[in-house]
Amino acid sequence: MTTTYDSRKRILVTGGAGFLGSHLCDRLLEQGHEVLCLDNLFTGSKRNIEHLLGNTRFEFLRHDVTFPLYVEVDEIYNLACPASPVHYQHDPIQTTKTSVHGAINMLGLAKRLKCKILQASTSEVYGDPAIHPQREEYWGNVNPIGIRSCYDEGKRCAETLFFDYHRQIGLQIKVARIFNTYGPRMHPSDGRVVSNFVTQALTGGPITIFGDGTQTRSFCYVDDLIDGIIKLMNSEDDVTGPVNLGNPVEFSMNELANTVLRLTGVETSIDYKPLPDDDPKQRRPDITLAKNVLGWNPQIQLEEGLHSTVCYFQELLRTG
């Protein structure tokens, strides 16, 4: 895709120094747009965007979305929020504020600018699902007072705000429900299963599995996910979402651990521990809607994506 000067947009990416945000900044710059990357660096890292700092179409702004922001942009991608249990449970009150106050502030900015805004929501809005796979019309099975509630309910409230702004004032919104995503630039200590398994294997293990390893997850490679997010933002005005974005192919934790061990060439043990509270037993998206309205379907197989991820973590551990 080639962007001419007349079609170039100035795009705000909140959480732009994070795992997903930095890849989104890369892609938008590749398309010829100007990018304003906003991040308070709580979980994001300048390392993720340092290769962009010399680009004249890229600007980094250190800012917390819980405070109002006054900038001029043409589109907003709201990705700001800790997304792993280790990080969002560290300060659960701030996590809820980031989801709710952050949504209010970004929606207010979009209202003033009369611009389109995309919310990065999450599969966590489904909680521990009573149906499988999960479709967008499913309302979820969420514990409102559990240790994961700051993230789950914060994201659910953000979705409510987005749709109320859409219904009440006609704001142009897009809501993506993102399922497990992995790839280079994941935080090595974020507590997510892929980064856990890879770093544990590369540092000598053992690999820790919570539960008996039969619980399943679906894993979407970051490049596929970014494709989906951009397709959703650029979709027809009447496509508001929510739209599931994720890979519908399920793998058990045991299968994932064995694949990581094979790709790293490490021989180590697997340590089984009790399952944490409110941890869902299975999670898989139904992506029929994304296929139909976006023409989107993930292309990268788990082994190919894990190979790139392992290489990234090997280099990260080597260089510090």
Side-chain angles (χ1 to χ4, degrees):
M1 173 181 173
T2 302
T3 299
T4 65
Y5 182 80
D6 289 339
S7 63
R8 178 184 294 175
K9 298 173 184 175
R10 179 167 166 79
I11 301 174
L12 171 63
V13 179
T14 74
F19 165 46
L20 295 182
S22 63
H23 284 279
L24 177 59
C25 290
D26 284 345
R27 191 73 61 85
L28 295 173
L29 288 167
E30 287 170 8
Q31 293 180 351
H33 299 297
E34 297 178 15
V35 173
L36 174 57
C37 168
L38 181 145
D39 206 298
N40 69 353
L41 301 181
F42 173 60
T43 58
S45 169
K46 277 193 175 179
R47 181 188 184 114
N48 291 337
I49 56 169
E50 62 184 359
H51 63 290
L52 301 176
L53 296 177
N55 190 319
T56 57
R57 289 182 285 105
F58 179 80
E59 180 182 354
F60 173 68
L61 175 63
R62 188 163 185 170
H63 181 84
D64 190 319
V65 292
T66 61
F67 296 95
L69 179 69
Y70 303 97
V71 294
E72 302 297 320
V73 293
D74 301 307
E75 285 181 351
I76 302 169
Y77 288 83
N78 186 36
L79 276 62
C81 189
S84 71
V86 168
H87 291 143
Y88 68 63
Q89 291 171 10
H90 172 71
D91 188 346
I93 295 172
Q94 185 63 26
T95 296
T96 303
K97 285 182 176 180
T98 300
S99 287
V100 178
H101 291 184
I104 291 169
N105 287 330
M106 291 305 106
L107 287 163
L109 178 62
K111 176 184 176 183
R112 179 178 70 81
L113 298 174
K114 298 181 173 59
C115 74
K116 184 164 44 174
I117 180 170
L118 180 143
Q119 167 68 4
S121 190
T122 172
S123 61
E124 297 294 336
V125 301
Y126 298 121
D128 191 0
I131 67 167
H132 191 72
Q134 293 80 56
R135 298 176 61 90
E136 289 85 354
E137 58 265 29
Y138 176 53
W139 290 354
N141 178 34
V142 177
N143 176 1
I145 58 171
I147 60 173
R148 301 170 70 102
S149 305
C150 57
Y151 184 68
D152 302 2
E153 296 288 36
K155 289 288 191 178
R156 285 163 68 95
C157 185
E159 287 196 14
T160 299
L161 286 162
F162 266 69
F163 277 91
D164 283 338
Y165 266 77
H166 174 67
R167 286 185 288 257
Q168 189 169 333
I169 64 172
L171 191 66
Q172 196 175 353
I173 66 164
K174 307 286 181 178
V175 176
R177 287 181 178 163
I178 298 171
F179 282 68
N180 281 9
T181 306
Y182 70 99
R185 301 184 200 156
M186 295 184 80
H187 195 293
S189 303
D190 67 5
R192 299 188 209 189
V193 64
V194 171
S195 52
N196 272 1
F197 284 7
V198 173
T199 55
Q200 286 173 342
L202 292 176
T203 56
I207 285 181
T208 303
I209 292 181
F210 294 96
D212 61 5
T214 59
Q215 69 271 32
T216 63
R217 292 292 185 275
S218 55
F219 301 101
C220 184
Y221 188 65
V222 62
D223 289 355
D224 282 332
L225 192 279
I226 298 302
D227 284 342
I229 288 177
I230 293 176
K231 282 179 179 289
L232 177 57
M233 178 63 100
N234 295 332
S235 62
E236 298 296 326
D237 291 353
D238 61 346
V239 179
T240 60
V243 176
N244 288 340
L245 295 177
N247 195 317
V249 180
E250 279 184 286
F251 292 90
S252 72
M253 296 301 95
N254 287 326
E255 289 174 309
L256 178 66
N258 288 323
T259 303
V260 167
L261 289 174
R262 179 161 47 80
L263 290 174
T264 57
V266 173
E267 292 186 9
T268 187
S269 61
I270 295 177
D271 186 13
Y272 292 92
K273 293 188 176 181
L275 203 63
D277 291 342
D278 296 334
D279 192 63
K281 308 298 184 299
Q282 55 187 10
R283 183 74 59 67
R284 176 164 67 93
D286 184 315
I287 60 169
T288 302
L289 182 60
K291 289 179 179 178
N292 290 341
V293 302
L294 306 180
W296 178 82
N297 195 24
Q299 301 297 311
I300 298 171
Q301 301 300 313
L302 181 66
E303 186 147 340
E304 178 186 354
L306 280 177
H307 175 74
S308 298
T309 307
V310 168
C311 290
Y312 168 78
F313 278 108
Q314 285 174 329
E315 178 65 13
L316 190 66
L317 291 170
R318 186 183 67 82
T319 61

